[in-house]
């Protein structure tokens, strides 16, 4: 958000707090982009989505429930049984999955995302992710280091 010079000159604590919050949020956005989609070039991090060792499950949104369950299953196949799994997707995909019915056999049984969760796992929105990509994993151990 552009900051007016007159606003800065006022020097009020509320203005300082607003400017600081904007700077911190901008840095968080850059960090998230690096963690998720960094290309590993010219000082950038190698992001999750550019890592060739990441398992991928590709399915159309019409089978989104099955795709989400398949993603969880891929993690389980590696003998990772963390209860700290979560999903990350962009806002458009989030809205689509909030209105996409999950299919259980021949029955429709609720929506893919309900109460900001898929199954019992939280769903986070991050618009650094493009298209209909959905990440699932335990992101609690993500670390960025400057060497």
């Amino acid at each position: 958000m552009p900051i007016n010079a007159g606003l800065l000159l006022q020097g009020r604590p509320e203005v300082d707090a607003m400017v600081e919050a904007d700077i911190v949020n901008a840095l968080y956005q850059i960090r998230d982009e690096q963690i998720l989609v960094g290309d590993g070039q010219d000082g950038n991090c190698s992001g999750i989505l550019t890592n060739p060792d990441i398992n991928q499950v590709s399915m159309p949104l019409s089978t989104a429930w099955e795709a989400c369950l398949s993603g969880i299953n891929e993690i389980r196949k590696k003998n990772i049984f963390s209860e700290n799994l979560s999903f990350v997707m962009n806002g458009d995909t989030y809205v689509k999955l909030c209105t996409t019915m999950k299919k259980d056999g021949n029955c429709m049984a609720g929506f893919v995302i309900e109460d900001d969760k898929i199954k019992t796992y939280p769903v986070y929105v991050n618009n650094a992710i493009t298209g209909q990509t959905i990440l699932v994993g335990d992101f609690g151990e993500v670390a960025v280091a400057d060497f």
Side-chain angles (χ1 to χ4, degrees):
M1 164 176 151
I3 299 167
N4 178 314
L7 189 62
L8 289 175
L9 290 174
Q10 291 178 13
R12 297 177 55 192
E14 306 86 45
V15 173
D16 291 345
M18 183 185 77
V19 170
E20 183 178 326
D22 284 347
I23 292 170
V24 168
N25 287 334
L27 291 173
Y28 283 158
Q29 184 175 356
I30 292 167
R31 180 207 56 200
D32 288 353
E33 288 174 0
Q34 289 293 308
I35 291 169
L36 296 170
V37 296
D39 61 11
Q41 303 293 317
D42 300 323
N44 291 325
C45 296
S46 293
I48 294 169
L49 291 173
T50 59
N51 184 335
D53 296 327
I54 300 293
N55 290 325
Q56 297 184 19
V57 176
S58 182
M59 295 183 170
L61 278 181
S62 61
T63 58
W65 179 244
E66 183 180 348
C68 291
L69 296 178
S70 294
I72 294 168
N73 190 46
E74 287 298 315
I75 293 169
R76 302 275 191 242
K77 284 180 184 178
K78 303 280 186 191
N79 290 322
I80 299 170
F81 296 97
S82 173
E83 292 305 315
N84 297 320
L85 297 180
S86 58
F87 288 84
V88 183
M89 63 194 69
N90 70 28
D92 292 336
T93 302
Y94 173 84
V95 169
K96 182 70 177 164
L97 294 183
C98 284
T99 59
T100 300
M101 296 292 287
K102 57 185 172 186
K103 191 173 180 181
D104 185 13
N106 291 328
C107 301
M108 297 303 224
F111 296 100
V112 175
I113 296 177
E114 294 180 339
D115 299 323
D116 290 332
K117 290 184 169 87
I118 295 176
K119 285 190 74 172
T120 59
Y121 305 112
V123 175
Y124 299 101
V125 173
N126 189 300
N127 289 313
I129 298 174
T130 59
Q132 296 179 342
T133 300
I134 301 170
L135 294 176
V136 60
D138 181 349
F139 303 104
E141 300 299 321
V142 172
V144 178
D146 187 11
F147 297 101

